[in-house]
Amino acid sequence: SEPGDMPYLERLILLLTFCLPLSSCLFKGREGKEKKLNYFIEWDTTSLLRVVEEGVYPRSCRLKDGSLLLVYENGRGDVFVTRSEDEGVSWSDPVVAYAKFEYVDSNSTTSTLVNCANPEIVQLSNGDVLLACNLRPVTEGVYPFSIALKRSSDNGNTWSDETIVYQAASFFRDGCWEPSFLRLPDNSLHLYFANESPYSDSDEQEISMLISTDNGYTWSVNPVTVSFRRGHRDGMPVAVHDGTFIYVVVEDNLSGQFKPYIIKGTVNTPWSEAVMDGLPHRYSALRNPLPDTVYAGAPYLLRTYEGVYVLSYQTTEGRSSDWKRSTMEVVVSDTPREFGAPSRPFDVPLAREAKWNSLVDLGDNRVAAISSSNLDGKKVGIWMIKGKIKSR
């Protein structure tokens, strides 16, 4: 080396001191990518249980006291609630939370029966439980299709009178459907639903959202458009968040048959712009695309306590082309995209069904799949089975 320069050996040591940690990080990065966890679910057939003899559209959540609360339609216009204190092994006698009712228009004296459908529940930070419901008039042109809420301050034992938070048109083609909740880190609350009301001149449908900042006592008057694909029908939204981003799974009929798609937004500025077709924040959820002719609708999305993403839908793949005979399929991923390792929790004969499914997180990488099914050849009832998330 020249006089005054750092000796060669010292320069070499300094260079190695700097580069070795960097190369180690790069190696770890490559190693992490190569060893990316590939999750799958192992279903415990011994846990299979018929929870309710007759019912459809089950939804469940774990309450702060450790119990499981489950809501469902009885198939005749009423919504029931049942509870388990032992991890879903046994359940209480169901009680009515919403009852169908007769509505009479005082101006015209016309009337209609109004059914209660699509129940969904969430527990708030203060312990209150909110139960959303879709009110559906039987006779068109009399009563508006609506989203209603009830509140329980005693873990679902008793319920308040209903509050209407959104009304669409009174005709089926312009209705609103399938409410679902999302509680954000600041305890604000989103209520997502499928909405045909803005498109009275077409068969299109969007995903809309209302927001509450006071534990669901008051809600925004005008819904925000979350997503819309021109000429198509985004439907059945279910949202999760990771603290930074919101991920809403929807059924999207771009291919002709519904498929699960993810709509991505931010927690800090939720849906400042609607996610339209062709944008990168709308993408297919599945790692391996299903054929266009396969139906895979009614999605449900879960992010577990451990940060694993679990997605379900009802599908006709490998079955008949009749969507009414579809069955529940579940896929899993370590990120909210490229879901894979499909499994079918319930063994359903081709002539039967397992539909309007949902998932509930049981903790410790355990989940439960819940379905309305006639897999045993009897009436369509509510079934549950538990599974363990594993990696290979």
Side-chain angles (χ1 to χ4, degrees), residues 89-102:
V89 175
S90 62
W91 294 83
S92 64
D93 292 335
V95 296
V96 178
Y98 281 90
K100 60 181 175 293
F101 59 92
E102 185 79 15

Side-chain angles (χ1 to χ4, degrees), residues 37 67 101 110 139 146 198 246-247 250 271 273 285 343 349-350 352 379 386:
L37 291 175
S67 64
F101 59 92
T110 55
T139 302
S146 308
I246 299 171
Y247 305 97
V250 302
W271 318 119
E273 294 184 6
S343 61
L350 295 180
R352 298 173 192 164
K379 292 181 179 180
K386 298 173 185 177

Side-chain angles (χ1 to χ4, degrees), residues 56-178:
V56 295
Y57 207 90
R59 300 292 186 265
S60 182
C61 74
R62 185 185 289 283
L63 301 183
K64 293 177 180 292
D65 66 1
S67 64
L68 295 173
L69 201 64
L70 186 146
V71 296
Y72 64 95
E73 304 172 30
N74 68 347
R76 294 186 294 276
D78 309 307
V79 167
F80 280 75
V81 176
T82 181
R83 175 196 305 278
S84 175
E85 306 281 355
D86 56 8
E87 294 293 288
V89 175
S90 62
W91 294 83
S92 64
D93 292 335
V95 296
V96 178
Y98 281 90
K100 60 181 175 293
F101 59 92
E102 185 79 15
Y103 172 79
V104 179
D105 188 331
S106 58
N107 295 321
S108 64
T109 69
T110 55
S111 65
T112 182
L113 185 68
V114 179
N115 288 326
C116 305
N118 299 155
E120 181 64 277
I121 50 176
V122 66
Q123 187 170 38
L124 308 179
S125 59
N126 67 358
D128 286 358
V129 179
L130 295 187
L131 170 55
C133 184
N134 185 196
L135 303 183
R136 299 182 175 184
V138 175
T139 302
E140 294 186 297
V142 181
Y143 184 89
F145 287 81
S146 308
I147 306 296
L149 292 183
K150 286 191 175 187
R151 180 183 302 268
S152 174
S153 298
D154 57 8
N155 287 332
N157 291 308
T158 60
W159 297 92
S160 69
D161 293 336
E162 67 190 40
T163 300
I164 306 298
V165 296
Y166 183 75
Q167 290 184 328
S170 59
F171 293 90
F172 183 87
R173 65 179 180 271
D174 297 322
C176 56
W177 322 94
E178 301 129 5

